[in-house]
C-alpha cells in the first residue's frame, strides 16, 4: 500500500517487491496467532469506517462478501498486493518468492541487473534459514517442499474460496498451481 507513495516521492529509487503465492501466505497465516482475528478488521464496520476508510470504500463490493476467515485473509492479501501486481512502473521489480526459492541464482541476476550492482550476491546460507516468525508446520522447518505446504493445510473448498476472491479482484497471476504465471508477473 506504500508503493505508489514511495515511487512518487522518491522517483530515483528502484524498489524490489517480493510477492508470495496467496495460498501459501494464507495457509501460513492460519497457523499463526497474529492473524487469529483478522476477519474482525473487515467485519467490524464501526472500526473499518475510521481506519483504512479509503480501502473499504474502494473495495466495498469485495469486502461486503467476506463471510469467513479465508475470504477475509484473501481480501487482505489482494488489497496489499494489487497495486504492485497492476502497476506498469518499470522502476519496480517484482520478485516471486517461489522463483527465489527454486532458482536463487537467477533472481540474484535479475536483482543485480535491476539495481545496477554488478557484484550483488545473496547469502545462500541465509536463504535456507527460517525466519524467527516461522512456526511449526512450515515446510522449511519440517524439511518438506515449501511450495507444496499449503496443500497440507488448506482444504479444496478453502483453496476455491481464496482463488474466487483473487478472481473478484481480477488477479489472474495465481491458481492452485505451485508457481505463479511468471509472464504476468513481468518475468
Amino acid at each position: 500500500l506504500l508503493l505508489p507513495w514511495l515511487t512518487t516521492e522518491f522517483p530515483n529509487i528502484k524498489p524490489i517487491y517480493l510477492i508470495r503465492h496467496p495460498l501459501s501466505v494464507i495457509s501460513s497465516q492460519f497457523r499463526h496467532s497474529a492473524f487469529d482475528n483478522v476477519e474482525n478488521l473487515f467485519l467490524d464496520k464501526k472500526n473499518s469506517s475510521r481506519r483504512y476508510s479509503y480501502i473499504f470504500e474502494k473495495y466495498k463490493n469485495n469486502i461486503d462478501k467476506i463471510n469467513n476467515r479465508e475470504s477475509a485473509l484473501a481480501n487482505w492479501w489482494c488489497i496489499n498486493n494489487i497495486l504492485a501486481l497492476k502497476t506498469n512502473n518499470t522502476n519496480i521489480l517484482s520478485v516471486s518468492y517461489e522463483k527465489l526459492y527454486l532458482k536463487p541464482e537467477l533472481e540474484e541476476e535479475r536483482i543485480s541487473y535491476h539495481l545496477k550492482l554488478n557484484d550483488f550476491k545473496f547469502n545462500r546460507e541465509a536463504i535456507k534459514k527460517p525466519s524467527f516468525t516461522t512456526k511449526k508446520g512450515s515446510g522449511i522447518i519440517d524439511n518438506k517442499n515449501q511450495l507444496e505446504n499449503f496443500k497440507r493445510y488448506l482444504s479444496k473448498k478453502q483453496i476455491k474460496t481464496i482463488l474466487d476472491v483473487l478472481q473478484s479482484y481480477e488477479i489472474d497471476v495465481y491458481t492452485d498451481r505451485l508457481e505463479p504465471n511468471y509472464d504476468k508477473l513481468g518475468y
Side-chain angles (χ1 to χ4, degrees):
L1 296 174
L2 184 63
L3 202 55
W5 176 86
L6 189 66
T7 55
T8 301
E9 294 297 314
F10 304 97
N12 294 328
I13 68 165
K14 295 181 156 282
I16 298 167
Y17 191 80
L18 181 63
I19 190 163
R20 188 171 183 198
H21 199 303
L23 294 173
S24 293
V25 170
I26 294 166
S27 169
S28 176
Q29 289 171 333
F30 267 23
R31 297 184 319 276
H32 199 292
S33 61
F35 300 92
D36 281 350
N37 297 311
V38 74
E39 60 270 30
N40 292 340
L41 174 68
F42 295 106
L43 300 177
D44 181 1
K45 301 300 182 189
K46 193 184 292 183
N47 180 38
S48 65
S49 64
R50 291 186 314 234
R51 277 177 69 193
Y52 312 114
S53 61
Y54 67 98
I55 293 171
F56 287 90
E57 290 168 20
K58 184 172 185 175
Y59 300 112
K60 182 180 182 341
N61 291 338
N62 297 50
I63 291 169
D64 284 348
K65 295 176 185 167
I66 293 173
N67 58 6
N68 56 35
R69 191 168 178 220
E70 53 265 26
S71 64
L73 289 167
N75 269 274
W76 196 235
W77 185 95
C78 290
I79 289 166
N80 278 286
N81 290 286
I82 195 164
L83 293 174
L85 289 170
K86 301 287 183 180
T87 188
N88 291 323
N89 188 332
T90 57
N91 280 341
I92 301 168
L93 177 67
S94 290
V95 174
S96 161
Y97 172 92
E98 292 76 24
K99 185 69 89 174
L100 186 60
Y101 177 79
L102 294 170
K103 306 243 186 216
E105 62 284 347
L106 293 178
E107 291 307 277
E108 186 176 76
E109 287 177 29
R110 286 181 71 234
I111 293 169
S112 179
Y113 180 80
H114 177 73
L115 297 175
K116 296 180 171 69
L117 297 172
N118 296 332
D119 58 350
F120 176 78
K121 297 287 181 212
F122 286 134
N123 177 339
R124 298 278 165 86
E125 291 306 309
I127 288 175
K128 296 175 187 174
K129 289 183 182 177
S131 77
F132 71 92
T133 61
T134 303
K135 299 289 184 186
K136 186 178 178 188
S138 170
I140 202 163
I141 289 178
D142 293 346
N143 233 0
K144 300 206 180 214
N145 183 332
Q146 181 71 355
L147 304 186
E148 290 180 352
N149 211 39
F150 73 84
K151 291 183 176 186
R152 291 174 35 195
Y153 295 102
L154 295 177
S155 70
K156 288 182 181 187
K157 183 179 177 187
Q158 289 172 315
I159 290 171
K160 181 179 180 343
T161 298
I162 293 164
L163 293 176
D164 286 349
V165 172
L166 265 67
Q167 287 300 312
S168 74
Y169 283 87
E170 298 178 359
I171 296 174
D172 60 356
V173 175
Y174 295 95
T175 64
D176 60 352
R177 292 180 148 177
L178 300 181
E179 295 182 65
N181 180 323
Y182 291 112
D183 290 336
K184 291 181 180 182
L185 273 180
Y187 276 74

